[in-house]
Amino acid sequence: MAWGFVGIVAFSLTVPMTRIAVGGLSPLFIGTGRAVVAALLAALVLTLTRQPLPARPAVWARLAVVAGGVVVGFPVLTSYALGTVPAAHGAVVIAVLPAVTAVAVVLRTAERPSYAFWFFSVIGAAVVVAFVAVQGGGLGQIHMADLLLIGAVLACALGYMEGGLLSRELGSWQTISWALVLTSPLMVVLAVVALVQEPPSATPGQIAAFGYLAVVSMFLGFFAWYRGLAIGPMTTVSQIQLLQPVLTISWAALLLGEHVGTATIVGAVAVIFCAAGAVRSRDARRLQAPEPSSKATASTWWVIGNRSKARSVRSR
């Protein structure tokens, strides 16, 4: 949980920094250029530490899923979306990510949360949809930016899930590093295209925001986040993301001077409440059904079983 918290604190500045950067850089360059810078850092670290090249094709296929979600999908889609909507709005839509990540984990692994977990997760997702509809003027008025944000959430959830699993085999920082290296040729081409189409006219502050996105959001933050997911259980650790919309909205108000309206606050609190209920229900189920995970615990269950048999014999 501590590793996950460190990762979420790092990610909580992603939306405000993207909002700052799009003022002087094109969305395509922000989404791809940050991956290029992070890939250079990843290649350097992998070389200096002499990491072995993953040999199995199946591992590279799984790395492609990670890269498609967190290196390509989420950065590019959010960069385009945040060119037209406030950071606080984006933060609340992205707040459904913990529930979507949990669904992806359950479909991919043997983790099986309780029915209460799913109840709170579904309600949380419904609250996000309602928030988007209200902010956009109705379900028929949902903006393209909202669709981009929802697509970013789906891509990111897949990247988080597969990255957490791979981190158990390759290591947390190795996983994100190899994913960055894998996509670097495509990202370099797209970044060059973006520069040619729309030459940058960024201020020092916008360049600094881009630097944060490249070094922290795209690289260092995943060291902690994937480490937490690898330790798991992933459905529980993923719910630490509940803190992200609150932190992001706070950063948006502090750094961008955005007005945080009542609808945004209510939407964020409602989503957080629902996802917190999901975590609580899962933990409660685990406590009610303990499993022998050590010799001491196993021997305790053996003693209890023998005592029950003895009482049964005496009663006969």
Side-chain angles (χ1 to χ4, degrees):
M1 299 297 279
W3 281 113
F5 176 74
V6 173
I8 290 306
V9 170
F11 295 154
S12 68
L13 274 160
T14 299
V15 171
M17 290 300 174
T18 302
R19 182 67 176 164
I20 293 173
V22 293
L25 300 169
S26 71
L28 180 59
F29 178 75
I30 293 173
T32 58
R34 63 195 266 190
V36 172
V37 175
L40 291 174
L41 295 175
L44 177 63
V45 173
L46 290 170
T47 301
L48 292 177
T49 57
R50 297 181 179 180
Q51 294 297 311
L53 192 71
R56 291 181 297 156
V59 174
W60 284 108
R62 294 170 65 188
L63 284 170
V65 174
V66 176
V70 302
V71 179
V72 181
F74 187 82
V76 173
L77 293 175
T78 53
S79 295
Y80 276 104
L82 292 170
T84 57
V85 298
H89 177 94
V92 176
V93 177
I94 295 173
V96 75
L97 183 56
V100 180
T101 303
V103 172
V105 170
V106 168
L107 293 176
R108 180 73 169 80
T109 70
E111 291 188 26
R112 293 294 180 266
S114 65
Y115 290 115
F117 178 97
W118 292 119
F119 171 79
F120 284 110
S121 297
V122 170
I123 295 298
V127 169
V128 171
V129 173
F131 167 80
V132 173
V134 170
Q135 294 292 88
L139 287 173
Q141 300 295 323
I142 292 181
H143 298 163
M144 179 57 68
D146 294 319
L147 297 179
L148 292 174
L149 288 169
I150 293 172
V153 166
L154 295 175
C156 194
L158 291 175
Y160 281 173
M161 174 271 298
E162 199 62 50
L165 291 175
L166 266 180
S167 294
R168 296 173 179 174
E169 303 174 24
L170 303 179
S172 58
W173 66 267
Q174 292 94 331
T175 297
I176 188 59
S177 296
W178 285 120
L180 287 165
V181 170
L182 177 64
T183 57
S184 58
L186 174 63
M187 294 293 101
V188 169
V189 172
L190 293 177
V192 171
V193 171
L195 286 175
V196 172
Q197 289 181 344
E198 189 176 340
S201 58
T203 65
Q206 292 164 345
I207 294 175
F210 174 79
Y212 183 92
L213 294 172
V215 177
V216 180
S217 296
M218 194 79 268
F219 191 51
L220 297 180
F222 282 98
F223 286 27
W225 180 240
Y226 276 159
R227 174 63 176 164
L229 289 177
I231 296 173
M234 287 195 289
T235 48
T236 299
V237 176
S238 67
Q239 303 308 305
I240 302 176
Q241 297 170 93
L242 298 174
L243 298 175
Q244 188 167 338
V246 175
L247 293 172
T248 298
I249 291 172
S250 300
W251 289 124
L254 180 63
L255 299 177
L256 306 178
E258 290 186 2
H259 173 68
V260 179
T262 303
T264 300
I265 296 175
V266 171
V269 171
V271 171
I272 292 171
F273 172 79
C274 292
V279 174
R280 187 179 181 85
S281 65
R282 174 176 168 79
D283 289 343
R285 188 189 74 159
R286 290 171 60 202
L287 289 172
Q288 291 170 3
E291 297 179 359
S293 57
S294 65
K295 292 182 179 180
T297 307
S299 63
T300 301
W301 286 107
W302 182 83
V303 171
I304 293 174
N306 282 343
R307 287 179 178 175
S308 298
K309 291 178 181 178
R311 283 196 297 269
S312 177
V313 171
R314 286 198 298 270
S315 65
R316 292 173 186 170

